[in-house]
Amino acid sequence: MMRFILSKVTGGARLGLLTELQSLSSSTTIETPMCMVYTRGGIAPFVTKDLLAKIANLPKVAHVPLNTLTRHHETAAKFENGLKDFAAMHDFIVYSCVQDSTEQMPVFQNDKTTIAVWGRAGKQKVTVDEYMRIQESVKPDWYQALCDSDANKDSSKKRLRKGVERTLNYLDECLEKHNKSERLKASALFGVLEGGFQRQDRVFSAKETAKRPVAGFCIEGFDNFGPSAEHFQVSDIKHLIKDLVMELPADKPRMMPGVMTPDNVLEAVNAGIDIFDTAYPYFATSRGCALVFNYSLENESSEENKMSIKESPKPFQIDLNDDRYTGDFSPVLEGCTCYVCQRYTKAYVHHLLVTTELLASILLMIHNFHHYFGFFEEIRQSLKAERLDRLYTKIHAQRPKTESSVTKDNDLG
Amino acid sequence: RSALSLKIVSECSVTKARCCKMTLPHHTVDTPVFMPVGTQGTLKGITPEQLEELDCQIMLGNTYHLGHRPGPKLINEIGGLHNFMQWKRCLLTDSGGFQMVSLVKLSEMTEEGVKFVSPHDNSVMMLTPEKSIEIQNDIGADIIMQLDDVVSSTTTGSRVVEAMHRSVRWLDRCIKAHKRPDKQNLFGIVQGGLDAELRTECAKEMVKRDVPGFAIGGLSGGEEKYHLWRMVTLSTDILPKHKPRYLMGVGFAVDLVVCVALGCDMFDCVYPTRTARFGRALVRSGQLQLKNQRYVADMRPIDADCKCLTCRNYTRAFLHSIVTHESVSCSLVSLHNIAFQMKLMSDIRQSIREDRFPQFIRDFFLEMYPTKKYPEWAVDALDSVGVHLNDEFIQ
Ligand SMILES: [Zn+2]
Ligand SMILES: [Zn+2]
């Protein structure tokens, strides 16, 4: 069973190690903070295996949301190693979860006994029994207990309390079934913390979940995921997170899905989060955007690059649909060592986008994954070298000043 | 002075099939060869490097599409289509004429060229032989095609006669307009509809022009296969042996096997990649519709003998669960379908080199039609070159 070793704590930020991952070779460990590769039904979006393998710092954990599994699990059950055999993902740790952070979560669709997820088959309502049956088929290395994460800034106190209670009940039921399951014997079960923006509920949820024999914690229920999550600011809740992680044991990993931009990732790392997902590079790719924020503490980005980020409607990325790139023969990001930037020009990617060719998404996904994974590597290196504050300053300086960001405090606090 | 050399490696002792090494500026191509179509400077969800790994040696780009976006000047500025799309091996571009006629509603053939109303800005434009070559010179493919006067293969009468003569005249104008004969090879296109006399006359006229290779055009429309094979075999009889013969728009496995036997060296078709988009995987016995419920728990790969990435990693059941839902499935099935076409052609070449192509044909047909209900046109066509599918006594 997976173990988490905390190797260093700086402020709230944690440098850790996931070990005893028996499905990978015994010597393989995973350093945190890290992010997981987003997959749909066990396959990365757009990018085939051979190309994925060319990406530097590729995380060894794949993240598989329930809504992308609707047609898989019955066949996966026929394999000894479940989804890992079925989807040919032996080189990955499989993490299976309830909601897809790239999809808008349905609002007010959960009830006492079922949780709703949106997939390509539309809305699907899942009971604890069904959920655990699916997990038995999938046979993940880690998975999340069923949870009611339908909460956001505007959720009522009553709704939040209900979500916390339901989620705790689901956890108890999942644990009971988990302990009886032969197939899930080696899988790690994560408890989910709810409570929206209510401090009291959050702390209660954390305290109660920490009492249960879970392998780690997942902090959800701040927004309904999907594109709206891009407006979610970790800085708004960093004090809340600090309060709730006080209730959590230090030797278990903490995961927070749907954290998007690099400044938010750094806020969350600093609040003590260890594991993230890759909703952000996926979103950027589906829009035709390339991540271009500079996280290298050695290199300054070119003036031209700084200009194009500044003029971009989205921070930290450039929109390659823009006609200004028609004749731009420079790589997607100057100095980037990824497969795409070593070969292709902005003009070519722009051409592929304009002609709606599939290769556009493939190339952008490769670059965006490479860039995001590289950013996480820099976070780990910065933690080791005690220079996370410099990284934070560098990233924050690239965020265009909007009204909301100006009023926010500008330190790691 | 041409940028092409063709060396015949082996000839089938029974049929007209041959195996050649065709040396072009960017690569040496083994023929008979299938050329996948990368319309807009990319092949549906596959990277050039993946194509190379599948042993693809030459691919197509479409002048009509590339001429519109990103435009010939831009392609030229970045050093040609090879550089733009990062494809190191050979490229062939069509003239743009065929797509003009098939995609643009308002087009009209005049002696000067194809007059058409631009679907982009409604202006009246003209694609002349000179303009087509100018664009193709900018794109920079190893092989470029003459602008021909395209008529539907089912058209008959004086229009076909006119089109044939005009195509010959336009070849002369293309030769004159061609600025880079040392780097790019201009092919003539034999026209003449389904009329044996017109085809013969056209082929004879074309052969008089010293171009590096010839295509057989106007036969991938809706014409019956009965006509197709007769026009093909008639053309390959006239075309010179020491120059490559390219049968345009043909790519179904059965058609490839038959037309290789009739003496064709090069083929192109959008079918393998287009059909992949709909989740159809090619196999020697036909095709698998992966969407079909019957594959939901089918634990076999598409083809157990196929070495492609898809077959090495995924079951039909897994592909069934993602096909048409995840765009990556399009790449996976395309990869397999291209691998299938490449393997078919490499098997054909090997059997020609070992002089057992007639046996290959018989085995191939038996696998495709286990009940021996062979299409009549294929039986006739193969009969004409000495391979008798229905003759039990000949092995
Ligand atoms: Zn890059
Ligand atoms: Zn295959």
Side-chain angles (χ1 to χ4, degrees):
Chain A
M1 180 85 78
M2 179 186 80
R3 230 155 57 83
F4 181 72
I5 300 166
L6 195 58
S7 34
K8 185 173 182 177
V9 183
T10 312
R14 294 149 42 107
L15 193 66
L17 205 62
L18 294 164
T19 65
E20 293 175 36
L21 308 158
Q22 41 201 203
S23 61
L24 292 184
S25 73
S26 56
S27 59
T28 307
T29 55
I30 297 169
E31 277 189 304
T32 64
M34 61 93 58
C35 66
M36 308 173 287
V37 185
Y38 173 54
T39 74
R40 304 175 58 85
I43 192 158
F46 312 119
V47 183
T48 51
K49 261 177 112 58
D50 51 336
L51 292 170
L52 199 63
K54 291 183 205 277
I55 299 175
N57 300 307
L58 182 73
K60 296 188 182 73
V61 183
H63 157 221
V64 190
L66 184 62
N67 66 338
T68 66
L69 279 175
T70 46
R71 312 168 67 138
H72 286 60
H73 56 89
E74 280 160 26
T75 326
K78 298 193 167 88
F79 290 95
E80 191 192 332
N81 296 309
L83 186 70
K84 209 174 283 193
D85 285 342
F86 182 48
M89 47 196 317
H90 297 100
D91 31 2
F92 287 99
I93 290 284
V94 172
Y95 169 64
S96 168
C97 63
V98 182
Q99 299 292 350
D100 181 343
S101 52
T102 73
E103 295 270 352
Q104 196 81 29
M105 200 189 299
V107 183
F108 302 132
Q109 298 292 331
N110 300 339
D111 52 44
K112 230 176 180 158
T113 54
T114 65
I115 292 298
V117 294
W118 286 117
R120 56 195 180 201
K123 192 177 77 184
Q124 203 194 346
K125 296 189 125 195
V126 194
T127 63
V128 179
D129 283 352
E130 283 161 350
Y131 183 69
M132 289 304 284
R133 204 163 42 81
I134 293 170
Q135 297 305 343
E136 284 213 308
S137 310
V138 172
K139 209 182 171 193
D141 296 281
W142 317 336
Y143 69 111
Q144 202 183 26
L146 191 63
C147 53
D148 179 357
S149 302
D150 173 15
N152 55 49
K153 226 171 185 161
D154 307 320
S155 300
S156 71
K157 279 188 175 177
K158 202 176 141 204
R159 178 71 190 80
L160 292 173
R161 175 48 63 96
K162 202 177 259 172
V164 170
E165 279 167 6
R166 268 184 200 157
T167 299
L168 282 169
N169 288 339
Y170 285 140
L171 175 59
D172 288 335
E173 289 178 60
C174 287
L175 275 166
E176 199 190 319
K177 291 191 162 49
H178 177 92
N179 291 333
K180 286 183 193 151
S181 167
E182 192 55 34
R183 251 175 99 83
L184 292 171
K185 216 164 49 185
S187 305
L189 179 63
F190 275 45
V192 188
L193 310 188
E194 306 289 355
F197 287 75
Q198 287 297 319
R199 191 184 170 280
Q200 213 185 341
D201 291 325
R202 279 282 168 198
V203 171
F204 175 76
S205 175
K207 255 189 185 145
E208 284 301 314
T209 309
K211 285 180 193 163
R212 272 83 169 169
V214 291
F217 304 91
C218 194
I219 306 173
E220 287 191 4
F222 291 110
D223 60 74
N224 288 80
F225 287 151
S228 71
E230 280 183 280
H231 305 295
F232 167 64
Q233 295 294 323
V234 175
S235 54
D236 290 348
I237 52 143
K238 65 181 175 190
H239 298 293
L240 203 56
I241 298 181
K242 281 193 172 167
D243 289 347
L244 76 87
V245 298
M246 298 266 284
E247 309 297 333
L248 305 177
D251 62 349
K252 288 183 180 175
R254 303 148 187 176
M255 173 183 290
M256 192 163 161
V259 178
M260 301 267 171
T261 50
D263 52 342
N264 278 304
V265 169
L266 288 176
E267 293 280 9
V269 163
N270 204 57
I273 305 297
D274 310 300
I275 304 173
F276 297 82
D277 66 24
T278 40
Y280 186 58
Y282 173 73
F283 271 138
T285 302
S286 3
R287 272 195 296 256
C289 292
L291 302 182
V292 294
F293 57 92
N294 184 357
Y295 53 76
S296 162
L297 293 175
E298 271 79 53
N299 299 325
E300 277 310 313
S301 54
S302 68
E303 278 311 307
E304 188 199 340
N305 212 3
K306 277 186 197 159
M307 280 308 289
S308 48
I309 301 178
K310 281 230 168 66
E311 289 167 33
S312 172
K314 298 262 174 206
F316 308 115
Q317 41 188 302
I318 54 170
D319 183 356
L320 286 168
N321 292 292
D322 196 314
D323 281 340
R324 78 165 79 174
Y325 300 114
T326 306
D328 189 333
F329 297 156
S330 64
V332 171
L333 174 59
E334 206 78 61
C336 177
T337 56
C338 87
Y339 180 84
V340 179
C341 294
Q342 295 301 306
R343 289 168 177 77
Y344 299 97
T345 57
K346 290 192 186 84
Y348 185 60
V349 178
H350 171 76
H351 167 72
L352 295 173
L353 284 167
V354 170
T355 52
T356 62
E357 285 284 351
L358 210 53
L359 192 60
S361 307
I362 297 172
L363 298 185
L364 281 173
M365 194 73 252
I366 293 172
H367 166 81
N368 288 337
F369 267 156
H370 174 100
H371 196 72
Y372 208 60
F373 300 154
F375 170 57
F376 273 84
E377 176 60 16
E378 181 55 52
I379 293 176
R380 291 185 292 269
Q381 295 306 328
S382 289
L383 270 169
K384 282 177 203 167
E386 314 252 344
R387 58 178 193 213
L388 195 66
D389 50 342
R390 277 178 58 208
L391 182 60
Y392 182 91
T393 308
K394 177 153 196 139
I395 292 294
H396 219 271
Q398 293 172 62
R399 188 167 186 108
K401 295 283 174 249
T402 60
E403 275 179 50
S404 62
S405 66
V406 170
T407 53
K408 251 164 233 142
D409 49 348
N410 205 355
D411 67 341
L412 271 172
Chain B
R1 213 172 50 95
S2 92
L4 181 152
S5 88
L6 188 81
K7 196 176 141 235
I8 299 173
V9 179
S10 324
E11 285 173 285
C12 175
S13 58
V14 179
T15 70
K16 293 199 267 175
R18 72 244 193 97
C19 225
C20 308
K21 291 245 175 233
M22 177 170 65
T23 303
L24 294 167
H26 286 85
H27 195 70
T28 295
V29 177
D30 294 304
T31 73
V33 67
F34 175 78
M35 309 181 284
V37 183
T39 301
Q40 322 220 54
T42 162
L43 196 100
K44 302 290 167 214
I46 301 184
T47 67
E49 226 173 51
Q50 287 174 323
L51 265 183
E52 246 184 66
E53 281 159 19
L54 292 172
D55 199 31
C56 175
Q57 302 182 332
I58 175 168
M59 67 183 284
L60 251 73
N62 286 122
T63 295
Y64 171 78
H65 293 282
L66 292 164
H68 169 49
R69 287 182 308 205
K73 293 295 159 247
L74 190 129
I75 296 179
N76 181 268
E77 224 181 289
I78 198 173
L81 183 58
H82 280 95
N83 217 14
F84 188 54
M85 69 182 289
Q86 291 287 301
W87 170 243
K88 296 183 179 62
R89 296 185 172 178
C90 303
L91 281 169
L92 181 151
T93 45
D94 61 2
S95 67
F98 176 74
Q99 288 184 333
M100 196 74 74
V101 174
S102 56
L103 295 179
V104 181
K105 282 203 180 79
L106 300 166
S107 70
E108 181 197 337
M109 290 286 183
T110 68
E111 188 56 30
E112 199 192 344
V114 193
K115 201 163 119 188
F116 65 102
V117 175
S118 162
H120 311 293
D121 61 4
N122 285 325
S123 59
V124 179
M125 295 173 67
M126 176 74 84
L127 181 72
T128 61
E130 291 77 14
K131 187 74 197 165
S132 169
I133 297 300
E134 186 193 323
I135 298 173
Q136 294 189 74
N137 277 164
D138 276 333
I139 296 173
D142 299 76
I143 296 175
I144 63 178
M145 303 305 295
Q146 76 155 108
L147 185 69
D148 52 351
D149 185 353
V150 186
V151 289
S152 152
S153 58
T154 47
T155 307
T156 51
S158 62
R159 177 69 188 94
V160 185
V161 182
E162 178 194 48
M164 185 277 277
H165 287 295
R166 184 173 285 156
S167 292
V168 176
R169 289 193 295 273
W170 282 4
L171 176 57
D172 288 330
R173 284 169 58 186
C174 286
I175 294 171
K176 231 177 125 188
H178 186 17
K179 295 254 176 12
R180 306 174 72 224
D182 54 327
K183 300 238 163 43
Q184 296 179 272
N185 300 285
L186 173 65
F187 278 29
I189 304 175
V190 177
Q191 289 291 354
L194 304 177
D195 184 316
E197 263 176 58
L198 283 178
R199 281 261 161 201
T200 307
E201 191 185 341
C202 186
K204 283 184 174 161
E205 274 305 313
M206 295 256 162
V207 169
K208 289 181 194 162
R209 275 82 180 163
D210 186 25
V211 286
F214 298 97
I216 303 167
L219 292 176
S220 61
E223 81 285 343
E224 294 210 15
K225 294 278 165 70
Y226 168 85
H227 295 290
L228 170 103
W229 79 262
R230 281 179 167 79
M231 293 303 116
V232 168
T233 201
L234 170 160
S235 307
T236 55
D237 279 343
I238 300 166
L239 295 173
K241 266 191 138 179
H242 62 283
K243 290 185 180 180
R245 303 134 175 196
Y246 161 29
L247 179 56
M248 300 176 85
V250 166
F252 294 127
V254 171
D255 302 7
L256 291 171
V257 171
V258 172
C259 293
V260 165
L262 299 178
C264 297
D265 306 305
M266 303 160 65
F267 306 88
D268 79 282
C269 190
V270 293
Y271 167 72
T273 40
R274 182 170 289 171
T275 205
R277 216 171 63 218
F278 304 108
R280 285 191 284 263
L282 304 178
V283 289
R284 283 285 166 95
S285 56
Q287 50 170 273
L288 312 179
Q289 173 50 275
L290 291 165
K291 262 193 301 195
N292 198 306
Q293 205 52 34
R294 78 167 71 158
Y295 299 114
V296 73
D298 192 332
M299 299 305 195
R300 293 171 294 172
I302 294 170
D303 174 359
D305 296 326
C306 180
K307 305 275 191 298
C308 83
L309 174 97
T310 309
C311 293
R312 274 187 284 121
N313 287 284
Y314 301 107
T315 59
R316 294 174 183 182
F318 181 74
L319 294 168
H320 169 82
S321 73
I322 59 164
V323 89
T324 68
H325 293 285
E326 299 304 330
S327 79
V328 69
S329 71
C330 175
S331 302
L332 289 173
V333 182
S334 284
L335 276 172
H336 167 78
N337 285 357
I338 298 292
F340 172 87
Q341 298 286 104
M342 294 301 133
K343 179 74 166 62
L344 174 64
M345 298 318 280
S346 119
D347 286 352
I348 288 175
R349 289 195 299 267
Q350 200 181 337
S351 75
I352 298 171
R353 280 197 297 267
E354 295 168 5
D355 204 10
R356 49 174 182 79
F357 184 51
Q359 188 57 47
F360 173 89
I361 298 174
R362 280 189 284 270
D363 295 343
F364 172 86
F365 271 85
L366 200 57
E367 196 171 357
M368 183 73 92
Y369 305 98
T371 58
K372 297 196 178 184
K373 277 196 185 125
Y374 303 134
E376 212 177 292
W377 73 270
V379 172
D380 292 347
L382 291 167
D383 261 332
S384 80
V385 286
V387 178
H388 311 292
L389 284 182
N390 290 327
D391 196 332
E392 298 290 337
F393 302 103
I394 297 174
Q395 264 303 306

